[in-house]
Amino acid sequence: QVQLVESGGGLVQAGGSLRLSCAASERTFSISDYIMGWFRQAPGKEREFVAAISWNGGATNYADSVKGRFTISRDNAKDTVYLQMNSLKPEDTAVYYCAANRLSWPHATTYAAYDYWGQGTKVTVSS
């Protein structure tokens, strides 16, 4: 099975920005075949939905907690999906996971609908 690989995590002060990237480890994996999503898991918490983007980028969905601060985008020619995170808050601290979903758009916020996952990239926001 192909592996998704996240990058761009790190330590940032509150109010700062980070951009996460996600790409497939195998050239045979075409990101354009999938809804792409970002989830996160904070220490001691369950994994939660952050953002999703449709096959061609025409539709996006965001958790209320990140709406207006985070932007998900994709570049199918590069087989890459991005999460631009602005105005970061300490409560954004978590391991962020990229995932690929082949189901229909109404399932975009459900983690069980995603077939492929990365191993996560850690984001720490200091106050």
Side-chain angles (χ1 to χ4, degrees), residues 45-100:
K45 301 292 183 64
E46 64 183 16
R47 193 169 298 187
E48 66 176 356
F49 169 77
V50 175
I53 187 165
S54 61
W55 298 269
N56 64 356
T60 57
N61 199 351
Y62 297 93
D64 288 341
S65 59
V66 307
K67 195 173 298 181
R69 299 187 297 119
F70 290 11
T71 302
I72 188 171
S73 61
R74 66 191 301 157
D75 187 339
N76 287 345
K78 296 181 178 179
D79 279 337
T80 304
V81 64
Y82 305 94
L83 184 68
Q84 178 67 45
M85 305 184 295
N86 297 326
S87 301
L88 283 162
K89 305 174 181 179
E91 51 262 47
D92 295 318
T93 295
V95 176
Y96 284 72
Y97 298 89
C98 175

Side-chain angles (χ1 to χ4, degrees), residues 2 4 24-31 33-34 36 79 100 116:
V2 300
L4 299 176
S25 61
E26 299 279 347
R27 180 64 181 175
T28 55
F29 184 96
S30 179
I31 200 171
D33 291 337
Y34 297 90
M36 300 298 296
D79 279 337
Y116 303 103

